Amino acid sequence: MAAQAKILIVDDERDLVDAYVRLLERAGHRCLAAFDANEAIQLIDAESPDVVITDLSLPDTSGIEIIRHVRAKSASTPIIVMSGHNTPELNNAAHAAGANISLLKPVSIAELQRVIVEALAR
């Protein structure tokens, strides 16, 4: 696998986040987890992750706010959106806010690793 990255995963589905963290850490990455937007924004500010993976549906706000926050801090940080409700409108809003890649959940760990490697190579 390519260079190890500090990856922030934002999703309110704790089991999903735990599984991704476990598998990505096994691949050599350092993972941070947030279960709502407020927690994610604090981690973005404190940790400056190399990659941000976020759901669009969060309990306290939309993942669009997380995308905007990342973009305000960094134009180059890869942002991967994962959503179970991947509509053209949501995709367009996510990309307009600055997301690089949109994936439909559930996403296999192999697909997620491939996308992370590609995003880091850009």
Side-chain angles (χ1 to χ4, degrees):
M1 179 157 221
Q4 282 66 41
K6 187 188 321 178
I7 301 170
L8 172 61
I9 303 171
V10 187
D11 200 307
D12 59 331
E13 294 179 50
R14 288 179 183 266
D15 290 344
L16 180 75
V17 172
D18 290 345
Y20 285 146
V21 165
R22 208 170 30 256
L23 294 165
L24 290 170
E25 284 182 343
R26 225 179 269 156
H29 297 291
R30 176 171 172 234
C31 293
L32 307 165
F35 303 102
D36 61 48
N38 288 331
E39 194 177 4
I41 287 168
Q42 290 174 2
L43 284 169
I44 291 162
D45 291 344
E47 297 281 343
S48 299
D50 301 314
V51 178
V52 175
I53 300 170
T54 186
D55 189 3
L56 290 178
S57 296
L58 296 167
D60 53 346
T61 188
S62 166
I64 300 292
E65 294 308 314
I66 293 169
I67 297 166
R68 288 185 181 132
H69 189 79
V70 172
R71 280 295 162 253
K73 292 185 64 76
S74 167
S76 62
T77 301
I79 302 171
I80 300 166
V81 172
M82 292 191 311
S83 180
H85 314 286
N86 220 354
T87 65
E89 296 79 19
L90 271 178
N91 259 339
N92 291 340
H95 286 275
N100 302 99
I101 300 163
S102 297
L103 301 172
L104 182 61
K105 284 200 283 189
V107 179
S108 73
I109 192 64
E111 173 73 359
L112 190 55
Q113 285 179 329
R114 183 188 65 73
V115 169
I116 290 167
V117 169
E118 285 177 8
L120 288 170
R122 290 184 185 163

